[in-house]
Amino acid sequence: MKHFPIFLSVEGQRIVLSGGGEAALAKLRLLLKTEADLVVFAPSPAPEIETWATEGRLTLHRRALAVGDTRNTALFYAADEDAIEDARTASIAHAEGALVNIVDNLEDSQFITPAIVDRDPVTVAIGTEGAAPVLARAIKADLEAKLPATLGALARIGKAFRKMADILPMGRVRRDFWADYYFNEGPRALDRGGEAEVNKALQALVEKHEKAEQLPGHVAFVGAGPGDPELLTLKARKALDAADVVIHDRLVAPEILELARREATLIDAGKQGFGPSMDQDEINRLIVSHAAQGAQVVRLKGGDPTVFGRLDEEIDAVEAADIDWHIVPGITAASASVAAIGQSLTRRGRNSSIRFLTGHDVKGFADHDWQALARPGEVAAIYMGKKSARFIQGRLIMHGADRATPVTVIENASRPDQRTLATTLEKLPLDLAEARLNGPALTFYGLAPRAAQTALFLQDQELA
Ligand code: SAH
């Protein structure tokens, strides 16, 4: 982020603009929405500017800007649409301590003006750092259509009512009250009879929510999927939206954590594969202690929480504390990985079953029914299989597996940095070492990417 969005307090502040043409008009239309003290310098101003000056909405000086004109000025706009004049006025304003924007000159500007969706006091600012004005306009049009025109009125009335709502207990009850106001009762009351109705509805709502009981604590064990936020379920999104506390593993992508309610407490239980980690008892205690205080806890796990996620230990702890819980399934790494190579997990005539294996368990490298796996046509999705690759290879070959059996490793499935390594059982450990994968990786034993050509393509492209 090269530009950090903030909302600047401009009430009563001096904002100066130099210019009297189209660019000046476009900026002034926005600036007139503010409560700033607007001053325009233009030797030949457009008629609209003259009108605004007559109406007392800005102060107009029919001359070029000169030294001293931008003292005590918060913002300065150079909008003369003339590079030399803009540079001259900007340098005066800069020297006099104003923040400077030169219209259509991102490089020499200290700030930029975003595209704005105005539902005052609700304001949405959209910026693309100059990269894609078309995109900003499209997003603006989309939001204009989505946000009801009454939103501003509701927010204004709501703001005046804030103190009255303070009698509700903080946290969930108060939040539910406001959600009920903005999304149900408020818009209906406004339709019925304007501001007076809304005020009545607010009174009634406070009484209704005063009686509402605090929800008891609850734990949702939620699958965050393999990384792509679009692979989250709607239920996962809802749970994140309602969470007071989100306890997540290391595998959960930051883009997904961004979706948690803004006030939610995020706790990284950061279970590293081999590195230091919060131990399981500690995690259990953390979940229970938050839920016991009445929090809506989301225990967010990579992929599907029921796959190699130590879910049962956490459920046992939660049940022992007599706390309600439920599971929201997620897309497991095997599903995302198989999609990435254009294959099916099962296929008529090839494999009518698929095993999910872990490369290691509490005792170290995990043991499996190697004999059964070594039979031709078997397919297994191996989780946490990087370090154990040589061990698994050895066991399988020892039990008669064909050394030419295809093996595909997918790293960071569904993420922008996804990579695919197509190899064979024989070459697996060597190729793995060479590829230096350091993200989470899933190994398919018995599956190659859909076509040999695809495999070569993937290899060339992604391991180049
Ligand atoms: N509950 C998770 C698995 C947890 S075990 C799930 O259902 O996916 C952690 C292992 O999952 C990693 O070592 C890796 O083998 C696999 N994994 C998780 N996310 C992955 C991803 N985006 N791409 C490839 N493998 C992944």
Side-chain angles (χ1 to χ4, degrees), residues 221-228 231-233 236 249-253 256 299-309 311 327-337 356 383 413-415 440 442:
F221 295 98
V222 176
D228 178 353
L231 290 178
L232 272 179
T233 64
D249 324 315
R250 185 181 54 100
L251 273 184
V252 177
I256 289 174
R299 172 66 175 116
L300 192 61
K301 290 167 175 284
D304 183 278
T306 72
V307 178
F308 304 126
L311 176 63
I327 299 175
V328 178
I331 292 183
T332 190
S335 299
S337 302
F356 286 10
Y383 289 72
S414 89
R415 300 179 187 205
L442 189 118

Side-chain angles (χ1 to χ4, degrees), residues 224-404:
D228 178 353
E230 292 196 29
L231 290 178
L232 272 179
T233 64
L234 291 176
K235 284 207 166 151
R237 281 210 67 158
K238 277 196 196 146
L240 282 170
D241 216 37
D244 298 312
V245 179
V246 177
I247 302 172
H248 63 92
D249 324 315
R250 185 181 54 100
L251 273 184
V252 177
E255 298 88 316
I256 289 174
L257 295 175
E258 290 264 326
L259 298 172
R261 203 163 58 77
R262 215 173 121 175
E263 300 80 18
T265 310
L266 296 186
I267 301 172
D268 182 356
K271 294 215 245 171
Q272 305 264 349
F274 286 83
S277 58
M278 193 182 273
D279 81 27
Q280 189 62 49
D281 286 339
E282 233 174 296
I283 296 173
N284 296 352
R285 270 199 299 277
L286 200 64
I287 298 172
V288 167
S289 79
H290 283 285
Q293 288 167 44
Q296 305 300 300
V297 176
V298 165
R299 172 66 175 116
L300 192 61
K301 290 167 175 284
D304 183 278
T306 72
V307 178
F308 304 126
R310 302 189 70 173
L311 176 63
D312 300 77
E313 294 159 60
E314 295 179 8
I315 291 178
D316 287 346
V318 168
E319 285 210 311
D322 213 14
I323 291 163
D324 277 347
W325 56 272
H326 76 291
I327 299 175
V328 178
I331 292 183
T332 190
S335 299
S337 302
V338 82
I341 58 168
Q343 284 287 17
S344 291
L345 286 177
T346 62
R347 179 174 171 169
R348 284 172 75 167
R350 184 190 64 205
N351 64 313
S352 55
S353 69
I354 159 108
R355 285 163 204 252
F356 286 10
L357 311 181
T358 171
H360 52 88
D361 58 20
V362 272
K363 292 187 270 244
F365 291 153
D367 240 320
H368 298 285
D369 185 351
W370 304 114
Q371 192 131 24
L373 273 171
R375 283 198 291 266
E378 287 295 318
V379 175
I382 305 171
Y383 289 72
M384 297 172 273
K386 271 187 302 186
K387 300 239 159 156
S388 52
R390 190 172 286 284
F391 169 79
I392 292 173
Q393 178 211 39
R395 288 295 142 115
L396 283 165
I397 291 175
M398 199 202 306
H399 287 83
D402 184 350
R403 289 168 184 269

Side-chain angles (χ1 to χ4, degrees), residues 40-59:
V40 176
F41 290 86
S44 45
E48 288 94 327
I49 302 179
E50 304 264 12
T51 312
W52 290 328
T54 324
E55 290 169 355
R57 301 176 68 191
L58 50 79
T59 309

Side-chain angles (χ1 to χ4, degrees), residues 93-128:
H94 191 62
E96 291 176 353
L99 274 181
V100 171
N101 172 272
I102 304 177
V103 174
D104 288 334
N105 180 349
L106 182 69
E107 223 160 75
D108 298 327
S109 292
Q110 289 172 290
F111 70 94
I112 47 183
T113 314
I116 291 171
V117 180
D118 174 19
R119 298 288 184 277
D120 186 48
V122 178
T123 313
V124 185
I126 305 150
T128 61

